[in-house]
Amino acid sequence: MKIKKLIMVILIAVCMVAGLTGCATYDNFKDTFFAGKGAGADTIKIGVLEPTTGENSSYGKAEIRGIEIAHKLHGKVLGKKVELVYEDTQSSIYTTQSAIQNILEKKPAVVLGTYGDACSLAAGEYLRDAKVPGITITATNPLDTENNDYYFRTSFSEAIQGYAIAEYAVKYLKQNKVAVVSVEGDDTVSDMVNNFTRKCQVTCEEYQIKQDGSNLQDSIEQIEASGAKTIFMATSFDSGKTFAEELDRLKIQGVTIIGPKEWRNNKLLSLQGRIKGIKIAVASDFNGETADTKNYKEFTEAYQKKYGNKNQDQGTAMAYDAYMLAIEAIDKAGSTDGTKVRDALAKTRDYSGASGVITFNKLGAPSKPVNIDVISGGAFKTVYVYKVK
């Protein structure tokens, strides 16, 4: 015991001299050196790979909230305590590569996350090679899970959003002319835009905004001249916010903007509150109005008790589900062996989660409906449901 304490003291000193207090080297040493001793022998680890710094930190923290709510309520599996081990991707694909390696060195049974399609793609390669299953929570790129038997998702793909939003615009809003807006050079939305235009079957004109926004007003004036009253914004929330504020500044009213599911957060509630003459709709994984499952009730009560806010971020609800799916798979596998847990996840059928009913298809994606929400009375309200066939 004295030798172990001495080695620990030396390693801590090395980290402090190098300015690396709390460094991964120390964590990895501790996990390896004391494996099988004390609390570690009674612990099952689940990795949490999320951005807590950088441009996507707010989204990463929203997902972490859901994971931690589920962990607090369900902190044991197979008779052992579940320990969450964290790594910050810093919203960077390059940091993600080192962060996922650090987590894998800690021998997790499952890894949850990460936010962002590019970072999820980077993490997926390491999960597949290590044969450790992962569940990405809000990433929508189909490539995240395609050709990777060890990666699953709790969100529908960006391509499905295109179909759902088009059906909403034509069937529900009864539009015969729509505009589609994207940012020049953004290839990540191409599937969503292509599926929207394919499904739309009415006059559909596409517009591209330059990345510096220099043609923003010109594009808006062209859309107004076309007579289109519904605009699908296949952009980030920040770009959509700038577009909506410019519409408001130009006093263009009576228009409906539809955004992808990334927009469904409290920032959108604030934006709609400031812009009265423009209606904003958004795709959503989460339909709190129709949810009536044990997990939904449990999640909602715990969320409101801790945060006092009924408008949960959909990423938080899906992160809750990701943790619960991981726990359920470990329990069914009766093991933390990566292949066995992966096989149990692949057999998930009709899981009634906080964000909806989830059945994984052969590509690790959930067969779940796409909800279209509007904002009414300062809260999201589902007005249309697109059922995936």
Side-chain angles (χ1 to χ4, degrees), residues 293-342:
T293 66
K294 175 185 175 183
N295 279 318
Y296 169 73
K297 293 175 180 177
E298 181 181 82
F299 163 73
T300 302
E301 288 174 4
Y303 185 93
Q304 291 179 359
K305 182 178 180 181
K306 186 171 180 63
Y307 298 104
N309 185 349
K310 66 179 180 179
N311 292 313
Q312 307 97 334
D313 188 291
Q314 64 178 349
T316 304
M318 287 190 290
Y320 173 96
D321 284 342
Y323 177 92
M324 296 299 292
L325 286 164
I327 292 296
E328 184 176 281
I330 293 169
D331 186 59
K332 287 183 176 179
S335 168
T336 58
D337 176 79
T339 300
K340 292 180 180 179
V341 175
R342 179 263 161 214

Side-chain angles (χ1 to χ4, degrees), residues 181-215:
V181 177
S182 59
V183 175
E184 189 175 73
D186 183 3
D187 296 330
T188 63
V189 299
S190 58
D191 282 346
M192 186 162 53
V193 170
N194 289 340
N195 282 3
F196 177 89
T197 55
R198 188 180 298 118
K199 181 80 172 178
C200 215
Q201 297 180 341
V202 297
T203 302
C204 183
E205 298 181 3
E206 296 185 44
Y207 301 85
Q208 287 200 324
I209 300 171
K210 294 184 182 298
Q211 292 189 9
D212 62 3
S214 58
N215 67 334

